[in-house]
Amino acid sequence: ARARAEGARADAAAEDVLATRLQARRQIALTYVALRIAQTRRTAATRSLAAAEDNLALAQARQAAGLETGLGVSQAETARDNARAALPPLDQAETAQRLALEAILGQPTGALVDVLAAPAAPPRLEASALMARPSDVLATRPDLRAAANRARAAGLDAQGDRRDRWPRLSLDAVLATTNEQRASDATGNVTAGLLAPVFQFGRLQQLARAGEARAEAVAIGYRQTVLEALSAIETQASRLR
């Protein structure tokens, strides 16, 4: 049980490494999408400004021809100013996402300016991803696999603690006799090995109970992690439908 528990912990550590890599990729993808969304909004705001300027020019022409009052021109100017004021925050948002992407990729500041200068539509999620079952999505998550391995390791540790309560005959104790040792010494070693757990039964029993409590706590935490992951998947899927 102890060896299998160590193996489960090693598997959990390997899954943690994979989860860290996937988290880094996820952050890159989210930042890239946020950048493209900012560019899309900037493009839409630029078009709105152009339309507002056209409306202002038309209102001024109508006023010069005596077909428009000063109120129409004033309203067109206000609309133009509002459209123009919307551009700087969008520029700042785009720059912030580009800087964040450069930092994540380990690139110097400004390295992606030319690469990302041309606006592009944000990538769309494939329909097959939207139709995937939550259980299939959970199976691909290394963080959940790591949590499952930790729960398995805790259960195996508890199993080992329970076994420690009972006497064990050590083959080493039987074979630890040299030519100079008497048979009675070997018998004493074996007897001590069998009786030691008996005299320490109370302490070993407490250790076993503590191991079982730890295993139960880890199992509860694992179930809670799975439920939270399911809830997050359902929430994201409902937003994309």
Side-chain angles (χ1 to χ4, degrees):
R2 301 292 188 189
R4 285 184 291 165
E6 290 300 325
R9 273 188 282 270
D11 292 340
E15 295 292 352
D16 285 336
V17 173
L18 180 58
T20 301
R21 292 176 179 173
L22 290 180
Q23 179 62 25
R25 295 177 183 177
R26 176 178 179 273
Q27 190 60 42
I28 292 173
L30 290 176
T31 305
Y32 176 77
V33 171
L35 171 66
R36 291 308 189 186
I37 290 176
Q39 288 179 332
T40 301
R41 292 175 177 173
R42 176 65 166 79
T43 301
T46 301
R47 293 173 180 172
S48 297
L49 176 59
E53 289 176 342
D54 290 341
N55 290 335
L56 176 58
L58 179 60
Q60 291 173 339
R62 290 174 59 86
Q63 183 184 29
L67 301 175
E68 182 67 66
T69 64
L71 179 60
V73 174
S74 178
Q75 292 175 341
E77 289 176 345
T78 300
R80 187 271 317 272
D81 294 340
N82 291 337
R84 183 178 294 170
L87 293 180
L90 295 174
D91 290 335
Q92 293 175 2
E94 179 182 351
T95 301
Q97 296 301 331
R98 177 181 56 78
L99 292 174
L101 191 58
E102 290 171 344
I104 295 173
L105 296 176
Q107 297 295 321
T109 301
L112 300 179
V113 172
D114 296 335
V115 177
L116 301 173
R124 299 180 61 86
L125 192 63
E126 295 182 0
S128 58
L130 296 176
M131 299 174 62
R133 294 180 300 177
S135 58
D136 294 336
V137 177
L138 292 180
T140 64
R141 291 185 51 165
D143 58 331
L144 295 182
R145 294 197 297 268
N149 283 323
R150 289 193 182 91
R152 183 162 61 93
L156 291 170
D157 284 336
Q159 182 179 348
D161 292 337
R162 287 194 298 270
R163 289 181 178 179
D164 288 342
R165 293 184 298 179
W166 306 107
R168 290 177 297 175
L169 181 60
S170 174
L171 184 61
D172 292 337
V174 177
L175 300 178
T177 308
T178 62
N179 294 331
E180 291 79 10
Q181 288 179 315
R182 295 176 301 175
S184 59
D185 294 336
T187 303
N189 290 338
V190 173
T191 303
L194 290 173
L195 292 180
V198 175
F199 291 114
Q200 301 179 15
F201 184 78
R203 183 180 66 84
L204 294 176
Q205 189 175 28
Q206 291 178 354
L207 291 176
R209 290 175 178 174
E212 292 173 355
R214 287 193 297 269
E216 183 177 0
V218 173
I220 293 174
Y222 170 64
R223 287 194 294 268
Q224 184 64 29
T225 301
V226 172
L227 291 176
E228 292 176 355
L230 280 171
S231 177
I233 291 173
E234 291 294 343
T235 300
Q236 293 175 1
S238 62
R239 293 175 179 174
L240 294 173
R241 290 191 183 105

